[in-house]
Amino acid sequence: MRYTIVVFSLFFCVFSSCSKKELEAIQPKKGNVTESVYASGVIKAENQYTVYSTVNGVLQKINVTVGQSISQGQSLFEIESEKAALNTENARLAYQLSQESSRYIQDKISEMESKVQIAKDRLALDLSIYNRNKKIKEYKVISEVEYERVELAYKNSKSNYESALKQLSQLRSQLKNDQNRSNINLRINEKTQSDFTIKSAFSGELFDVLVKEGTLITPQNPLAIIGKKNAYLLELDVDENDMVRVLVGQKIVVTLDSYKGKVFDATVDKIYPIMDERSRTFKIEAHFDVPPAKLYPNLTAEANIIIQTKKEVLTIPKSYLIDEEYVLVNEDEKRKVRIGLSDYQNAEILEGLNANETIYKPK
């Protein structure tokens, strides 16, 4: 019976007090707490853009290679443009014909200018005769019939002069319109033909060519990616719930998958003031304070935008919080505390706890 009591006592010890695990305990300590906003995105070259065609056609020739330095206005791609070239040549012939026609119209203008001058001189003479006869008519020196003849001659001269002026104006307008029409038509066709040669919008580096020769090209097909050489920025997406706290000039802590274990500093440069309705995020741009030694477009990045930092405040690990507002004291007593700033590790204690008290990590 005594043996049985010993065994029972040992069994009770194992499953009662002996099995009771001690809770982890700490005291609050002074430290720094940084509030930040999470963002994710990619590395982009400055002025990075995708090249598109404005016309349809078969890609005849690629004039560049990946990694090549590109100058502004340099020819990148040539699209088959035989039809456009024929249209341009037709427009050029029409322009040359209009130039020849304009010389004929110019001769007519010169002829009409002479007629206008003659009509003007005739009008001046008839007006002088009319005015003179109008004065002497009061003295009945001339007959009524003779006066009416002089008056009619004056009115005819005036009408002829006005008609000549109108014809001269019409000829000048015709000449101007014909020249402008043929010139504009030629310029339109030359512009259309130039669209079949795709050129770079600015100087930079050719990062990628996305098509092959012989491919049917449409304005929806991306052809290449170009950006500024050895100049990179961060393009980050920020959730709409956090966007109101992000400002230009704020500091950013950045990590890159390509540089594991390293942290880089950056600064917010630009905020795009419109939300992407699909992702419910805002786009921001930032630059590295000291960029990594080597970067490539489209490398993934994760970032924390620093909103504010408090130094030498009372903090506890966030893992010691219960429901974001309680801590354990005396091992099993829950006490409510007021939380200030918090980051992914620590939380600031504003009220409910002092530096000399011990708290326990909840199970």
Side-chain angles (χ1 to χ4, degrees):
M1 177 62 92
R2 193 173 171 186
Y3 174 79
T4 303
I5 292 174
V6 172
V7 173
F8 177 78
S9 298
L10 184 60
F11 178 85
F12 181 78
C13 177
V14 170
F15 286 92
S16 58
S17 60
C18 293
S19 65
K20 187 175 182 180
K21 295 174 67 176
E22 292 186 5
L23 297 175
E24 294 181 39
I26 62 166
Q27 289 183 327
K29 62 180 181 179
K30 294 284 185 176
N32 299 338
V33 178
T34 299
E35 181 184 16
S36 63
V37 166
Y38 175 78
S40 62
V42 295
I43 304 297
K44 288 285 186 73
E46 288 188 19
N47 298 327
Q48 180 175 323
Y49 81 105
T50 303
V51 180
Y52 289 89
S53 169
T54 58
V55 295
N56 297 312
V58 176
L59 181 60
Q60 250 181 357
K61 188 177 180 183
I62 299 175
N63 298 324
V64 287
T65 57
V66 174
Q68 177 180 339
S69 293
I70 302 296
S71 58
Q72 185 176 7
Q74 180 176 343
S75 173
L76 306 175
F77 304 96
E78 294 179 19
I79 298 174
E80 183 183 10
S81 59
E82 183 178 355
K83 183 177 179 181
L86 291 173
N87 288 337
T88 301
E89 184 60 27
N90 187 47
R92 186 174 288 107
L93 292 173
Y95 177 74
Q96 292 172 353
L97 182 61
S98 72
Q99 294 296 99
E100 295 175 4
S101 298
S102 68
R103 285 192 286 271
Y104 169 73
I105 298 175
Q106 188 64 57
D107 291 341
K108 292 185 68 176
I109 288 175
S110 299
E111 181 183 341
M112 184 54 64
E113 286 174 342
S114 298
K115 289 182 178 180
V116 167
Q117 187 60 47
I118 293 170
K120 184 179 181 181
D121 294 341
R122 181 66 188 178
L123 174 61
L125 177 62
D126 288 344
L127 177 60
S128 175
I129 295 172
Y130 170 71
N131 287 333
R132 188 166 57 250
N133 281 273
K134 187 177 181 181
K135 288 180 181 178
I136 64 175
K137 180 177 178 290
E138 300 175 2
Y139 303 100
K140 300 184 185 297
V141 176
I142 63 171
S143 65
E144 188 69 31
V145 173
E146 182 65 21
Y147 175 76
E148 289 178 354
R149 186 187 66 78
V150 171
E151 183 182 32
L152 181 60
Y154 160 66
K155 289 182 178 179
N156 285 337
S157 295
K158 183 180 180 182
S159 177
N160 289 337
Y161 175 64
E162 291 174 348
S163 177
L165 279 177
K166 187 176 181 180
Q167 290 180 53
L168 177 60
S169 176
Q170 288 174 341
L171 283 171
R172 285 172 174 169
S173 295
Q174 180 184 350
L175 176 63
K176 184 178 180 180
N177 290 338
D178 287 349
Q179 288 178 333
N180 286 343
R181 188 183 304 110
S182 58
N183 184 42
I184 290 171
N185 187 46
L186 176 60
R187 286 166 57 192
I188 289 173
N189 280 277
E190 286 176 339
K191 175 63 173 65
T192 300
Q193 185 178 1
S194 71
D195 288 341
F196 286 82
T197 299
I198 301 170
K199 300 177 181 179
S200 176
F202 54 84
S203 301
E205 182 177 357
L206 182 66
F207 294 119
D208 199 3
V209 174
L210 307 173
V211 288
K212 294 181 179 180
E213 292 180 358
T215 305
L216 178 62
I217 300 301
T218 70
Q220 289 75 39
N221 295 130
L223 305 181
I225 299 174
I226 296 176
K228 191 173 181 181
K229 189 172 184 178
N230 297 325
Y232 296 92
L233 56 82
L234 284 157
E235 189 175 281
L236 303 171
D237 294 323
V238 179
D239 189 89
E240 62 174 317
N241 296 319
D242 299 320
M243 194 60 223
V244 294
R245 297 188 290 169
V246 178
L247 301 171
V248 171
Q250 287 175 331
K251 294 299 180 180
I252 308 176
V253 178
V254 183
T255 59
L256 303 170
D257 288 344
S258 300
Y259 289 87
K260 293 188 180 298
K262 293 186 178 181
V263 176
F264 301 94
D265 294 326
T267 304
V268 178
D269 283 332
K270 184 177 181 180
I271 297 173
Y272 289 82
I274 187 169
M275 184 181 70
D276 186 319
E277 294 184 351
R278 292 174 297 176
S279 62
R280 313 300 296 180
T281 60
F282 285 81
K283 184 169 71 173
I284 70 169
E285 288 182 2
H287 71 272
F288 288 102
D289 296 347
V290 179
K294 204 168 188 179
L295 287 173
Y296 297 95
N298 298 335
L299 291 178
T300 57
E302 293 191 25
N304 285 289
I305 304 168
I306 307 303
I307 304 302
Q308 60 176 316
T309 299
K310 284 188 176 181
K311 296 183 178 181
E312 292 301 307
V313 295
L314 195 65
T315 65
I316 65 170
K318 290 180 72 173
S319 59
Y320 279 72
L321 284 172
I322 302 173
D323 299 330
E324 300 295 327
E325 58 179 350
Y326 296 97
V327 294
L328 280 180
V329 295
N330 301 325
E331 296 195 19
D332 56 0
E333 178 188 344
K334 285 173 64 175
R335 181 190 296 176
K336 189 171 184 178
V337 293
R338 189 159 72 91
I339 303 300
L341 288 186
S342 64
D343 54 29
Y344 65 97
Q345 283 186 329
N346 299 315
E348 176 192 9
I349 300 297
L350 297 176
E351 292 179 0
L353 199 63
N354 60 56
N356 298 321
E357 293 185 278
T358 299
I359 61 172
Y360 298 88
K361 190 173 184 179
K363 294 181 181 179

